Amino acid sequence: MNLQADKPKAPIAILAVFCGFLVSGCHKAYVYSGCLLGINGCNSLNGYKYEKMGYILIKALPEVPEELIYITCAVIGATICGIILAVLPEHLHRQVISGGTTQSLVAVATGEYIPLQVAVLRLTLSILFLMSGGSMGAEGPSIQVCTSFAMLAGWYSGIRASVTQSLLASLGFSCGFAASFNAPLAGITFAMEDLNEPWKWDP
């Protein structure tokens, strides 16, 4: 693939910035979703500035043992997520099962399009699961949402070739990785390594 130096780089830079803000928004959503039970870092946000926001359910039910509240919420949250996953069509179920990093890497490798509904489902299920006390990292879902956003930008701009979608997925993954782990050099390294794969660009 011949990348021309005179191609405008501003849209790519703008897209990368939007991806960074998107990941930041996802992480804020995960943090604030934990305020219901006082988990996910809600009470340590900004040096306990928002401590009163936490333990909403615990404070609302002072007569109920905290352990019972945590266990009940975990069971209800896991059950709802399980039901949603069970009724999803196969193509959506395959995209939202597990953490999201694997699906993002598949998109990078093959250019397989991640639809908008997958990003919405991933974000909704992640918030619901983490809000109820489920044990799951926030980085994988954020990376997949970011990857989907980057591919969507190209898809709705008419850029739908698998090679180009793979490039956009690489951009989304790199930005999502860098923003999620606060590791910009690691994100840049991933992008450089991925773009140097000869099997992807040789005809």
Side-chain angles (χ1 to χ4, degrees):
M1 181 177 181
N2 185 17
L3 299 176
Q4 298 180 11
D6 58 347
K7 291 292 183 180
K9 300 178 179 62
I12 298 299
I14 293 172
L15 181 59
V17 170
F18 272 111
C19 285
F21 278 114
L22 179 62
V23 172
S24 178
C26 288
H27 279 273
K28 288 292 185 183
Y30 301 145
V31 169
Y32 284 117
S33 70
C35 291
L36 185 68
L37 297 174
I39 56 177
N40 301 344
C42 175
N43 293 326
S44 62
L45 194 64
N46 293 338
Y48 297 96
K49 180 179 179 182
Y50 300 107
E51 185 173 1
K52 294 181 180 179
M53 296 178 62
Y55 301 103
I56 295 173
L57 196 57
I58 307 297
K59 293 174 182 177
L61 303 171
E63 69 283 356
V64 181
E66 291 185 18
E67 295 81 3
L68 181 59
I69 294 177
Y70 285 118
I71 293 172
T72 303
C73 287
V75 171
I76 292 175
T79 301
I80 294 175
C81 290
I83 292 173
I84 294 174
L85 288 172
V87 300
L88 285 177
E90 176 61 28
H91 69 285
L92 294 179
H93 182 274
R94 178 171 51 86
Q95 285 284 0
V96 297
I97 199 71
S98 73
T101 305
T102 301
Q103 291 88 338
S104 300
L105 288 173
V106 169
V108 171
T110 65
E112 180 181 350
Y113 174 62
I114 302 178
L116 176 61
Q117 59 193 130
V118 169
V120 174
L121 272 170
R122 170 65 70 184
L123 186 60
T124 303
L125 287 170
S126 300
I127 290 175
L128 180 60
F129 192 68
L130 291 169
M131 178 177 65
S132 61
S135 177
M136 181 180 72
E139 292 78 16
S142 300
I143 289 173
Q144 188 182 17
V145 170
C146 190
T147 304
S148 173
F149 175 78
M151 300 182 79
L152 282 168
W155 187 266
Y156 288 112
S157 298
I159 306 173
R160 301 183 178 183
S162 59
V163 171
T164 312
Q165 282 288 298
S166 177
L167 279 170
L168 291 170
S170 180
L171 170 69
F173 190 100
S174 302
C175 294
F177 187 93
S180 292
F181 293 99
N182 195 22
L185 292 180
I188 294 171
T189 303
F190 172 84
M192 292 173 64
E193 178 184 1
D194 186 68
L195 293 177
N196 280 328
E197 291 289 344
W199 56 267
K200 291 180 91 173
W201 316 118
D202 288 347

